[in-house]
Amino acid sequence: MHCLTGCAAGLANGPVVIISVVLAFVFGYALTARGVLRANVPLRQALKVALAADTLSIAVMELIDNSFMVGVPGALDATLSDGLFWGSLAASLLLAFVVTTPVNKWMIGRGKGHAVVHAYH
């Protein structure tokens, strides 16, 4: 959803990347905090848990995703009805997932990242 926001607004590439990164962090933290809040954890503590759990993962995901999208000629200028947009988006997210998975595994193995969230499930 956050990737589509800039495209729908017709913004230039720089603002699209900035908005997508900001929204990725907002939505990522919100989704994690929502689950922690369900365990009756106070909001401030839930946000701290979300920050600890998601910051590195989201940062790596966004770095790979946006680097790929910027690197594919015309991908950020493609419209929502263009196959280049959807193909580039799918490829960038797949690549970002492949790169981010070992990062998350490494963090969980050391009791960091989403291992912190597991205590609240």
Side-chain angles (χ1 to χ4, degrees):
M1 179 75 170
H2 71 275
C3 296
L4 300 176
T5 304
C7 299
L11 300 174
N13 292 347
V16 168
V17 170
I18 292 168
I19 289 169
S20 72
V21 170
V22 168
L23 291 176
F25 278 97
V26 169
F27 285 120
Y29 291 148
L31 289 171
T32 298
R34 180 183 69 173
V36 176
L37 287 168
R38 287 184 181 159
N40 295 320
V41 174
L43 179 60
R44 178 172 274 190
Q45 182 63 28
L47 292 175
K48 286 180 183 179
V49 169
L51 287 167
D54 288 336
T55 300
L56 182 59
S57 178
I58 294 171
V60 171
M61 185 89 172
E62 288 301 303
L63 176 67
I64 301 302
D65 174 41
N66 285 296
S67 295
F68 185 91
M69 289 298 287
V70 168
V72 173
L76 289 176
D77 295 323
T79 64
L80 296 177
S81 62
D82 192 345
L84 176 62
F85 172 80
W86 293 105
S88 299
L89 180 61
S92 72
L93 292 174
L94 178 63
L95 179 61
F97 174 78
V98 167
V99 172
T100 306
T101 297
V103 171
N104 287 329
K105 185 178 184 315
W106 178 81
M107 289 180 5
I108 289 169
R110 283 154 184 74
K112 308 278 186 214
H114 277 271
V116 176
V117 177
H118 290 230
Y120 299 99
H121 291 296

